[in-house]
């Protein structure tokens, strides 16, 4: 899983890096405005704030490189960010320059050995971004059905009634909610994300679309025929810091319609509270959603705490989400038992794991 050419920081080096993050963001922002301030004048105060936010994201994606040797997600992020900045008429070369200047800061402020590790990681990410050009699609989008276009248009208009009608017509035609979510709803949301990236819609429209989906999907679950119960329980949660819960909601629906009892905890569940709930309820399976690489450490922390608290009685743990989809090996790196690309395969994998689990003596 680790890039063979990258060195990982030890605990002391990682702590040095974390302590210096805020100062690094401030220093590089000031350097940008001192050198290229005229390029950002049209953005006013919002431009300086956006610059700081982007630099903070750089460092959040850098941490998994330093902690796990996981370079490719940062490269993909940089390529994605380049397309976003280009759509907003911000020079592409400024992105590469920001990585170089972050390296200058950490080389000057950290002890020599850990500072060299940080510079190496930033250089590798910069080179990977400049050499690759186009980021691969990381979302396992299922083939969209024609209805996805109508659903997308309704979301962008803020038209909840039409979005609901599109879903209902598909279900009236005999399609399951899981199929509708994977081939219509997920596909529409992916296209909306692409349009936001290209600066064709606003962030407010993207949020509105997500909110409508979160209102429509439960209605599809309520009208679905009740399944035969399996007697098994799954607990699903987004790890601490992960605010993106729509995909996990789809997984929840798939398990519920497959006859599992679902404990759905939703977005951004604090680690200690999540571990306490799992320990108290003792489900057959735990599903953790991780959207961004910087959240991997939270998943690892949850699994480690569960091992400490429950030992051999720990339930099986499955991980999924955008940060996991391209790197199936992450399951073993984080201590999980399995990973899954989408809602349907999550249920199939869970059924196999539970069936293979030895019965309690």
């Amino acid at each position: 899983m680790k890039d063979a050419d990258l060195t990982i920081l030890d605990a002391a080096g990682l702590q040095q890096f974390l302590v210096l993050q805020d100062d690094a963001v401030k220093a590089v922002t000031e350097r940008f405005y001192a050198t290229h301030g005229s390029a950002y004048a049209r953005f006013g105060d919002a431009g300086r704030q956006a610059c700081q936010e982007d630099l903070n994201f750089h460092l959040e994606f850098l941490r998994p490189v330093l902690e796990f040797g996981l370079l490719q997600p940062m490269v993909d992020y940089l390529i994605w960010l380049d397309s976003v900045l280009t759509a907003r008429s911000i020079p592409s070369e400024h992105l590469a320059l920001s990585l170089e200047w972050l390296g200058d800061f950490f080389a000057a402020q950290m002890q020599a050995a850990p500072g060299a590790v940080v510079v190496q990681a930033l250089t590798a990410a910069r080179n990977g971004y400049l050499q690759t050009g186009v980021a691969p699609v990381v979302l396992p989008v299922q083939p969209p059905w024609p209805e996805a276009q109508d659903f997308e248009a309704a979301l962008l208009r803020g038209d909840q009634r039409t979005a609901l009608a599109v879903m209902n017509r598909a279900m009236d035609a005999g399609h399951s909610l899981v199929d509708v979510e994977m081939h219509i709803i997920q596909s529409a949301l992916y296209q909306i994300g692409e349009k936001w990236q290209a600066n064709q819609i606003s962030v407010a429209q993207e949020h509105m679309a997500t909110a409508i989906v979160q209102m429509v999907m439960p209605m599809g679950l309520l009208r679905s025929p009740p399944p035969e119960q399996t007697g098994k329980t799954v607990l699903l949660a987004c790890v601490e810091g992960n605010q993106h819960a729509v995909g996990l909601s789809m997984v929840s629906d798939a398990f519920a319609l497959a006859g599992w009892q679902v404990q759905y905890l939703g977005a951004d569940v604090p680690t200690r509270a999540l571990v306490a709930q799992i320990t108290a309820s003792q489900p057959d399976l735990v599903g953790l959603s991780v959207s961004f690489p910087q959240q991997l450490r939270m998943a690892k922390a949850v699994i480690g705490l569960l091992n400490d608290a429950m030992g051999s009685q720990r339930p099986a743990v499955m991980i999924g989400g955008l940060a996991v989809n391209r790197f199936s090996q992450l399951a073993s790196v984080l201590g999980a038992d399995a990973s899954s690309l989408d809602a349907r395969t999550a249920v199939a994998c869970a059924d196999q794991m539970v069936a293979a689990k030895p019965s309690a003596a």
Side-chain angles (χ1 to χ4, degrees):
M1 190 68 251
K2 174 183 174 293
D3 189 299
D5 297 326
L6 290 177
T7 303
I8 294 175
L9 283 179
D10 60 17
L14 185 62
Q15 185 60 32
Q16 283 187 51
F17 168 76
L18 295 175
V19 167
L20 289 169
Q21 280 190 116
D22 288 345
D23 289 341
V25 168
K26 292 175 184 176
V28 174
T29 299
E30 292 306 315
R31 189 172 177 181
F32 256 112
Y33 271 80
T35 309
H36 299 291
S38 59
Y40 299 95
R42 70 184 188 277
F43 298 112
D45 291 340
R48 184 180 292 270
Q49 181 179 350
C51 182
Q52 292 176 338
E53 289 175 352
D54 286 343
L55 290 168
N56 272 309
F57 272 117
H58 290 4
L59 297 180
E60 287 186 20
F61 275 90
L62 180 62
R63 178 169 177 174
V65 186
L66 301 174
E67 195 168 3
F68 299 107
L70 192 62
L71 178 64
Q72 192 59 48
M74 184 170 184
V75 173
D76 292 348
Y77 153 75
L78 292 170
I79 297 169
W80 168 83
L81 181 59
D82 179 74
S83 68
V84 173
L85 296 177
T86 299
R88 289 154 178 80
S89 301
I90 296 175
S92 293
E93 57 268 24
H94 288 189
L95 178 54
L97 193 59
S98 70
L99 301 173
E100 179 183 333
W101 286 353
L102 283 170
D104 291 345
F105 175 87
F106 286 108
Q109 298 297 321
M110 294 181 72
Q111 295 177 4
V117 172
V118 175
V119 172
Q120 178 196 42
L122 285 164
T123 302
R126 178 180 180 274
N127 291 342
Y129 144 63
L130 292 174
Q131 293 168 8
T132 304
V134 178
V137 174
V138 297
L139 185 66
V141 178
Q142 299 297 319
W145 290 347
E147 297 91 336
Q149 291 185 349
D150 293 336
F151 192 82
E152 176 192 340
L155 295 181
L156 291 177
R157 291 195 306 270
D159 186 350
Q160 180 183 349
R161 289 182 182 275
T162 298
L164 178 60
V166 171
M167 181 188 72
N168 282 335
R169 284 197 297 270
M171 295 184 71
D172 289 342
H175 298 297
S176 71
L177 175 62
V178 176
D179 282 335
V180 170
E181 289 177 343
M182 293 176 66
H183 294 275
I184 297 177
I185 298 177
Q186 187 182 65
S187 297
L189 288 175
Y190 178 73
Q191 290 302 317
I192 287 171
E194 289 279 286
K195 288 180 177 178
W196 175 83
Q197 180 177 332
N199 203 28
Q200 296 172 1
I201 64 171
S202 70
V203 68
Q205 287 176 290
E206 189 273 336
H207 283 209
M208 178 174 63
T210 301
I212 292 174
V213 165
Q214 290 173 326
M215 290 186 284
V216 166
M217 283 170 47
M219 299 181 189
L221 183 62
L222 290 174
R223 61 163 291 176
S224 298
E228 181 179 349
Q229 295 299 300
T230 65
K232 301 298 183 182
T233 300
V234 59
L235 184 149
L236 301 172
C238 293
V239 297
E240 187 171 342
N242 183 9
Q243 301 284 351
H244 297 78
V246 172
L248 189 67
S249 294
M250 294 180 182
V251 174
S252 175
D253 289 346
F255 272 101
L257 293 174
W260 287 64
Q261 181 68 33
V262 179
Q263 293 186 22
Y264 175 71
L265 276 61
D268 191 18
V269 183
T271 297
R272 295 286 178 179
L274 175 55
V275 170
Q277 178 64 22
I278 295 168
T279 304
S281 61
Q282 298 189 356
D284 297 284
L285 176 72
V286 173
L288 302 177
S289 175
V290 184
S291 288
F292 297 109
Q294 58 267 36
Q295 296 158 5
L296 293 172
R297 65 184 183 274
M298 306 310 299
K300 185 176 182 180
V302 169
I303 296 169
L305 289 170
L306 287 175
N307 287 334
D308 292 342
M310 304 182 74
S312 62
Q313 300 303 308
R314 171 179 72 76
V317 177
M318 180 185 297
I319 58 173
L322 286 176
V324 177
N325 288 340
R326 287 194 62 225
F327 304 97
S328 59
Q329 304 97 317
L330 275 175
S332 59
V333 172
L334 300 179
D337 301 289
S339 62
S340 179
L341 290 174
D342 58 41
R344 192 180 299 283
T345 57
V347 174
C349 180
D351 287 338
Q352 291 177 358
M353 285 196 298
V354 170
K357 184 177 180 180
S359 301

